[in-house]
């Protein structure tokens, strides 16, 4: 009897082992498993091979604060605006007989808080071409001050800087071959940062404009009408009329 039981176990043995192997093949992965991550914890350098230590350092020096600074125009009022209704082009006109106001806003990048304490902005007059206004004119003599008013203004806690200016007596387009002017506003930088190319964005230009003495001049039709009236008055008196008198 025992012999028969042993015989049945031997007969069943191979089939049971085969079933177990089949089950193991289903459980184990077909490809080799890399256990190196389990044996040695990964480092930041191993995860990002191209990352350098200096990339993790944040520049907190003075130049970094100025790099975050942004300057923009908030208000600039012209004395007169002439518009070409065919092209839509606008000509901005200023007179040196009246003051005008320009408001700028300083803030951090993306509208963040002001990154610089005790910040000042400066302004100077220049030609639209980017050239400086000549110090003197052969025809009109030496220029006086080109801008009258405070040309260096402190930025308030609200980030605003308000310039109240008047063009100088000789700051006229007619004195500069009819050229237009621009106002150049800049952050008042430390001397060692004046030529820093990374801070070029801290200079902003106004729209180009012409400068006149009188804003309102008679049109060609009005001047022709006045000339005819003057000629009529002279003819009534019997005097000889000379144009330009």
């Amino acid at each position: 009897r025992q012999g028969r039981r042993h015989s049945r176990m031997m007969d069943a043995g191979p089939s049971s082992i085969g079933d177990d192997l089949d089950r193991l093949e289903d459980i184990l992965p077909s490809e080799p498993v890399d256990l190196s991550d389990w044996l040695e914890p990964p480092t930041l350098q191993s995860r990002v091979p191209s990352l350098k230590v200096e990339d993790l350092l944040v520049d907190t020096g003075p130049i970094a604060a100025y790099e975050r600074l942004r300057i923009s125009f908030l208000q600039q009022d012209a004395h007169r605006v002439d518009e070409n209704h065919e092209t839509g082009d606008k000509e901005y006109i200023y007179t040196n007989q009246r003051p005008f106001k320009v408001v700028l806003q300083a803030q951090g990048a993306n509208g963040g808080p002001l990154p610089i304490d005790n910040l000042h902005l400066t302004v100077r007059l220049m030609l639209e071409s980017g050239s400086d206004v000549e110090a003197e004119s052969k025809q009109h003599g030496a220029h006086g001050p080109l801008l009258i008013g405070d040309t260096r203004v402190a930025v308030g806690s609200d980030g605003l800087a308000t310039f109240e200016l008047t063009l100088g007596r000789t700051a006229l387009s007619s004195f500069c071959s009819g050229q237009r002017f621009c106002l150049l506003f800049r952050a008042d930088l430390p001397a060692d940062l004046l030529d820093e190319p990374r801070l070029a964005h801290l200079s902003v230009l106004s729209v180009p404009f012409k400068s006149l003495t009188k804003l309102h001049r008679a049109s060609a039709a009005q001047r022709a009408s006045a000339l005819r009236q003057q000629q009529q008055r002279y003819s009534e008196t019997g005097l000889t009329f000379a144009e330009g008198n």
Side-chain angles (χ1 to χ4, degrees):
R1 183 182 302 171
Q2 290 178 353
R4 288 195 297 271
R5 185 184 306 124
H6 179 72
S7 176
R8 288 196 298 272
M9 291 177 64
M10 291 296 293
D11 292 337
S15 61
S16 298
I17 293 173
D19 292 342
D20 291 339
L21 289 175
D22 290 340
R23 286 194 294 272
L24 284 174
E25 289 178 354
D26 292 339
I27 295 173
L28 294 175
S30 58
E31 299 294 334
V33 178
D34 183 7
L35 301 181
S36 59
D37 282 351
W38 296 2
L39 300 177
E40 181 178 354
T43 63
L44 182 61
Q45 189 69 26
S46 66
R47 291 299 188 188
V48 190
S50 61
L51 187 65
K52 300 178 181 179
V53 174
E54 53 266 28
D55 294 334
L56 301 177
L57 300 178
V58 178
D59 188 357
T60 58
I63 191 172
Y66 282 106
E67 282 185 302
R68 296 194 300 272
L69 183 63
R70 300 292 183 271
I71 300 173
S72 59
F73 287 96
L74 198 62
Q75 177 185 341
Q76 182 182 354
D77 299 327
H79 291 143
R80 192 181 87 200
V81 181
D82 295 342
E83 183 173 358
N84 185 320
H85 296 290
E86 294 182 358
T87 63
D89 294 336
K90 294 181 179 180
E91 183 78 85
Y92 296 89
I93 309 294
Y94 286 82
T95 174
N96 61 359
Q97 303 298 307
R98 289 163 49 186
F100 61 93
K101 181 168 66 174
V102 182
V103 181
L104 290 96
Q105 183 174 37
Q107 56 187 351
N110 301 318
L114 198 63
I116 302 293
D117 294 329
N118 195 29
L119 176 67
H120 288 74
L121 303 184
T122 63
V123 61
R124 68 183 180 92
L125 188 71
M126 62 187 304
L127 296 176
E128 181 186 10
S129 62
S131 302
D132 292 332
V133 180
E134 293 183 0
E136 61 180 27
S137 167
K138 293 181 180 179
Q139 180 180 359
H140 303 286
H143 283 298
L146 298 173
L147 286 175
I148 300 171
D150 195 349
T151 56
R152 183 176 184 270
V153 172
V155 176
S157 58
D158 55 0
L160 302 183
T162 300
F163 289 82
E164 295 185 358
L165 303 164
T166 303
L167 294 172
R169 182 180 60 85
T170 58
L172 297 170
S173 295
S174 60
F175 284 14
C176 299
S177 304
Q179 297 184 76
R180 296 190 295 183
F181 297 107
C182 282
L183 293 170
L184 175 63
F185 295 89
R186 298 185 62 183
D188 193 11
L189 299 172
D192 58 334
L193 297 181
L194 287 177
D195 298 323
E196 173 55 56
R198 287 182 288 174
L199 303 182
H201 65 285
L202 298 183
S203 298
V204 293
L205 279 172
S206 72
V207 296
F209 60 88
K210 282 189 174 181
S211 173
L212 308 173
T213 300
K214 295 182 180 179
L215 285 177
H216 303 286
R217 296 182 180 274
S219 65
Q222 290 172 329
R223 290 196 298 270
S225 176
L227 180 59
R228 287 194 299 270
Q229 292 176 8
Q230 192 172 12
Q231 288 173 331
Q232 180 64 31
R233 288 196 301 270
Y234 271 87
S235 65
E236 291 175 353
T237 60
L239 297 174
T240 302
F241 175 79
E243 189 171 329
N245 287 353

